[in-house]
Amino acid sequence: MNVIAQRGYITFKTYPNVSGYVTKAKSFQFGDALPADKDIYSVVDAGTQIVKYAAAIELDNMVRIKVAKITGAALTPLDATLELPPFTAYMQLIKDAGVRLNITSGAPDTLKLTLNIYYDPLVLDSTGARLDGTSTTPVKDAINNFLVNLPFNGLFVINNLITTLQSISGVVIGQIAGAQATYAALPYTEVLVEYTPDAGYMILDPVDGLTINYYPHGPI
Amino acid sequence: MGLYDVDFPALVVQLMPVRLRKAKHVRWLQCLVAPVITLYKSFTANRNNDLYILAHNSQVVYLQAALNDTFDPVTRGIYITDGGFEDPLFVYLDAEHEPLPLYLNTESHPDWLYMNAETALEGYAFIVKVPAAVTYNEAHMRALIDKYRLPSKNYYAIQTI
């Protein structure tokens, strides 16, 4: 396959699968022309790759693609009149002939987390800020980053979040005391093991999404 | 120059000791390598063909490219569209914030409720649109599409536009 890659022929996969649709959705470049008979852009420009988040879900007879972009630091839907039509046209070329696509970009699901963080007092202070001043909210940044990088079907898994918490420098024990998720105006439901967001992606509730209790803890 | 690009007539001359490079001697040796050149040409043709097959798959953009290369290499007017299907009408809960307006008869904006079987893709999986100016052999075109298309997408149409 090396010679194929060098000549820039196929970037999808010889046998495309569902996660391949996610990869290609993220390589969409807003405002750039696709070269004739190619599924990759002649110049890869990360600045115009607006789709930062994509999920592909197989439904009866169709594949549903859910996408979102990043505005500031938060995931937001694509503009329905400006950004979604060119993205749809792009995906119609990229997809396999005969596959029905249903492309949506809706408002995100919201998540509420209550965390108990046992921190190393040599690295973090009692508000969770780093003592060396490089970041004031390392835990929140890590969670936001985790939500942007959910797997291709958007599945939110508590266990993976714990792994993320533990890997933050200065966090000795990361405990999730409570996790709740919802979409639109439905009441919050408890997330025990995993949660599949309706919009395909989720953000922390901007009002009271994150409650963190910090406790000092020695090294273990 | 890649690994597989060999210029046999020139190679013969290069490998000869300089004092033997006389016109008659060179021609004689080039005659001897003629069968090798024939084999090399068929190998190269097969290799280029394999690379072309590997460079195309069932994606719309590559299937279109393969069809245009074969049947319409100049104007490249062949393209592929989706087959016809009906989108299902979803009804949501109040709290889901997905309103479904229902219109009066006089507003002539009907929303159809389809049966499950009707929203399934039961028509053509995809439609290959061929310009009227292109002459083609349908069996040839179907064989080409069948080589690249996804399994199960075997019910498709070829239409002249």
Side-chain angles (χ1 to χ4, degrees):
Chain A
M1 288 304 286
N2 265 344
V3 65
I4 305 295
Q6 280 163 13
R7 294 183 180 213
Y9 285 153
I10 283 198
T11 53
F12 206 58
K13 269 177 185 170
T14 314
Y15 297 99
N17 56 15
V18 183
S19 62
Y21 281 77
V22 170
T23 317
K24 293 309 286 184
K26 286 182 181 172
S27 4
F28 167 67
Q29 293 181 201
F30 182 60
D32 291 356
L34 200 61
D37 299 339
K38 286 273 180 294
D39 68 343
I40 47 169
Y41 290 94
S42 44
V43 178
V44 176
D45 178 4
T48 56
Q49 291 179 345
I50 55 169
V51 176
K52 293 297 176 202
Y53 186 83
I57 289 130
E58 286 182 285
L59 302 176
D60 282 354
N61 285 312
M62 67 165 86
V63 176
R64 188 166 174 203
I65 310 268
K66 304 170 178 180
V67 288
K69 63 175 178 179
I70 285 194
T71 311
L75 290 167
T76 49
L78 262 63
D79 190 295
T81 54
L82 194 64
E83 291 162 342
L84 212 49
F87 176 70
T88 307
Y90 165 84
M91 288 306 289
Q92 292 291 343
L93 277 179
I94 298 304
K95 71 171 188 176
D96 295 284
V99 173
R100 265 172 84 179
L101 291 185
N102 181 343
I103 297 171
T104 56
S105 187
D109 288 30
T110 50
L111 176 70
K112 265 187 192 177
L113 286 174
T114 309
L115 305 177
N116 292 328
I117 299 290
Y118 294 81
Y119 65 93
D120 183 348
L122 292 174
V123 183
L124 301 181
D125 67 16
S126 62
T127 64
R130 283 186 63 87
L131 291 175
D132 61 10
T134 49
S135 169
T136 51
T137 54
V139 175
K140 189 176 183 184
D141 295 347
I143 293 170
N144 279 333
N145 189 34
F146 172 78
L147 292 179
V148 173
N149 293 306
L150 287 179
F152 79 89
N153 55 359
L155 196 66
F156 169 80
V157 183
I158 294 277
N159 234 341
N160 294 349
L161 180 60
I162 295 175
T163 313
T164 307
L165 290 177
Q166 304 275 34
S167 66
I168 305 169
S169 166
V171 173
V172 184
I173 303 171
Q175 188 205 357
I176 295 173
Q180 296 172 307
T182 186
Y183 64 98
L186 291 173
Y188 274 95
T189 49
E190 202 70 34
V191 181
L192 294 175
V193 179
E194 61 178 23
Y195 177 75
T196 311
D198 180 68
Y201 68 107
M202 56 204 307
I203 58 169
L204 287 169
D205 192 317
V207 183
D208 57 349
L210 192 58
T211 313
I212 310 179
N213 306 311
Y214 287 100
Y215 305 103
H217 196 289
I220 50 175
Chain B
M1 282 289 279
L3 184 63
Y4 295 97
D5 297 326
V6 183
D7 185 352
F8 281 101
L11 187 69
V12 165
V13 180
Q14 284 166 17
L15 291 179
M16 284 174 75
V18 176
R19 60 188 170 85
L20 294 180
R21 288 183 192 172
K22 302 291 187 302
K24 213 182 269 181
H25 201 158
V26 169
R27 294 288 179 276
W28 176 61
L29 286 175
Q30 284 179 344
C31 288
L32 293 186
V33 299
V36 179
I37 292 173
T38 311
L39 284 174
Y40 169 74
K41 278 184 179 160
S42 63
F43 166 76
T44 309
N46 188 46
R47 177 172 180 274
N48 288 340
N49 194 30
D50 286 348
L51 285 176
Y52 183 85
I53 293 171
L54 284 174
H56 292 78
N57 65 5
S58 55
Q59 281 175 265
V60 170
V61 58
Y62 287 121
L63 194 50
Q64 280 178 181
L67 288 170
N68 278 321
D69 285 347
T70 311
F71 296 103
D72 195 7
V74 181
T75 52
R76 309 190 74 81
I78 302 176
Y79 64 96
I80 294 170
T81 60
D82 279 334
F85 51 81
E86 306 297 345
D87 272 326
L89 190 69
F90 291 107
V91 181
Y92 295 89
L93 292 176
D94 197 16
E96 287 183 289
H97 289 180
E98 296 272 3
L100 173 68
L102 294 177
Y103 298 90
L104 293 175
N105 214 357
T106 49
E107 289 180 290
S108 52
H109 188 296
D111 279 318
W112 301 106
L113 292 171
Y114 296 98
M115 287 191 287
N116 235 353
E118 287 177 303
T119 58
L121 190 59
E122 55 178 348
Y124 298 120
F126 57 92
I127 300 169
V128 179
K129 303 273 192 182
V130 184
V134 176
T135 52
Y136 63 94
N137 176 340
E138 176 154 346
H140 184 193
M141 187 176 281
R142 285 197 177 262
L144 187 71
I145 296 168
D146 289 348
K147 183 154 107 181
Y148 293 113
R149 68 169 170 79
L150 279 191
S152 85
K153 309 294 179 197
N154 57 343
Y155 192 58
Y156 54 86
I158 298 172
Q159 291 176 357
T160 304
I161 49 170

